[in-house]
Every structure is written in structure tokens, then in C-alpha cells.
Amino acid sequence: MDFQTLVFYFLSAILVYAALRVITARNPVHAVLHLILAFFTCGGIWALLQAEFLAIAIILVYVGAVMVLFLFVVMMLDINIDRLREGFWNYLPLGAILGLVMVWEMGMVLISRNLQVPAARAAVASGVSNTREIGALMFTDFVYPFELASVVLLVGMIAAIALTYRGRNPSRKYTDPGRQVFVKAKDRLRVLQMPVEKD
């Protein structure tokens, strides 16, 4: 077994572990940290397979989008931000360990790419663009799965919003546009006559 295959199995094991921790972790912060590790490891596998565009896309788009989505969900669910900030130092060791694992993974991927055998380098012809090939396949042979994936993501977004606003909190104030249209100025504004006092 060569070094590149060993790195592939190592990254695959971390990816399976991180994916299992995403669905088994009780703490949502731990689940998101393991999800970021899973995406980062998946990007390492793509880079190992000489798909640089997919590796960069999954790290930049998915890791960034997951963090933004997590913050958006935290704000929508009205979670106490002060309690999350209090637990920052409790989550720091886990976050530091996962960050070091990500740096180590990328180092192993870069080392394995420098130690590739000539047959692996000859697998990709010169002058072939990964981005162009992915775009051509995505909009020709795989156009229906691509559109289906976008519909599935749209349904997931609508379901998340519907679940969030399913039960309205009576302590919050909501605006009803239908009632605002029929509001008159005399119902909202009251002019008071104040007596003038002279010194």
C-alpha cells in the first residue's frame, strides 16, 4: 500500500467518524464543529483525487455557508446568546483539536501529491480543465439531478422556516400587514393640550 492510498483511507475514516458525530452529538455546537471537519476532510479527499475545483468549492462554500446557516438558525430559534458566549472556553479545546486535525490532513494531502507515482500523474491529460469538464457534465448529462438537488434544497429551506414559525411565541410582537393598511391617523396619534405656565 502506497502513501497516497494510506492517506485516502485515513481521511475516509475521519470523514465517517465526523459524519456519525454530526447525527449523534447532543450539543448543536459540537455537531456543527464535526460537520465542518467532515466537509474539510471531504475537500481533502477531492484534492487527493486531483479535483482541485471541487476541493476549494466544498471548503469555501460549504464550510462558510454552514457557519452562516448555523448563526442564522441560532438567531431564529431565539437561543440565549449570552449562555453560548459563556461556554466559549469550554468549546475551545474541541475546536482547537479539530483545527489541528484539519491542518494535519491538508499537510498529508500536499505531501502525498508530491509523492505521487508517475501513473497517477498521467491519469489527467494536459490542458484539461476540471471546472470546464464539471460544468459540461452538470448541464448536459446530469442536468436533471442538478435541478432535483436544487428543488430538494428549496424544500428543506421552506421546511426549516415552517418549523421555526409553527408556534408563535406570545411574548414577541408581530406585525399584521392586513391590519396596518386600515389604520387611521386618529387611531395612532393623540394630540394633548398642555397648559402653559408662566414664571
Side-chain angles (χ1 to χ4, degrees):
M1 181 184 304
D2 58 348
F3 184 71
Q4 186 175 0
T5 307
L6 183 64
V7 172
F8 174 77
Y9 283 123
F10 174 74
L11 294 179
S12 300
I14 292 180
L15 179 59
V16 171
Y17 166 75
L20 288 175
R21 286 298 296 157
V22 168
I23 60 176
T24 57
R26 292 175 179 251
N27 193 327
V29 177
H30 291 177
V32 169
L33 288 175
H34 283 97
L35 185 59
I36 292 173
L37 177 62
F39 283 143
F40 202 87
T41 308
C42 189
I45 293 176
W46 281 116
L48 194 64
L49 297 176
Q50 297 182 359
E52 295 86 3
F53 174 75
L54 291 177
I56 294 298
I58 198 169
I59 291 174
L60 293 181
V61 176
Y62 281 90
V63 172
V66 164
M67 289 307 295
V68 172
L69 180 64
F70 177 69
L71 293 176
F72 181 65
V73 169
V74 166
M75 288 186 293
M76 285 183 65
L77 295 180
D78 198 18
I79 296 176
N80 193 351
I81 303 297
D82 294 332
R83 291 184 58 191
L84 290 178
R85 289 177 180 171
E86 289 175 0
F88 172 76
W89 295 108
N90 296 330
Y91 300 131
L92 184 61
L94 177 63
I97 291 172
L98 294 181
L100 290 176
V101 169
M102 290 182 205
V103 171
W104 187 39
E105 287 176 356
M106 284 296 108
M108 292 182 65
V109 168
L110 294 176
I111 291 173
S112 65
R113 287 179 59 83
N114 293 330
L115 299 177
Q116 285 177 351
V117 294
R121 292 179 181 173
V124 179
S126 60
V128 175
S129 173
N130 288 336
T131 309
R132 181 178 295 176
E133 293 296 327
I134 290 172
L137 288 174
M138 186 180 296
F139 292 106
T140 54
D141 296 340
F142 298 99
V143 64
Y144 292 117
F146 179 70
E147 295 295 331
L148 183 62
S150 64
V151 171
V152 169
L153 291 175
L154 177 63
V155 170
M157 265 189 346
I158 294 173
I161 294 172
L163 288 174
T164 303
Y165 286 104
R166 181 176 56 185
R168 290 193 170 185
N169 191 352
S171 64
R172 292 185 176 180
K173 294 183 179 180
Y174 294 94
T175 58
D176 187 3
R179 294 179 60 186
Q180 287 179 343
V181 172
F182 298 103
V183 170
K184 297 180 180 178
K186 64 179 182 179
D187 298 332
R188 298 293 183 184
L189 183 63
R190 185 173 60 179
V191 179
L192 298 177
Q193 296 291 338
M194 300 293 293
V196 178
E197 297 182 0
K198 294 182 180 181
D199 292 336

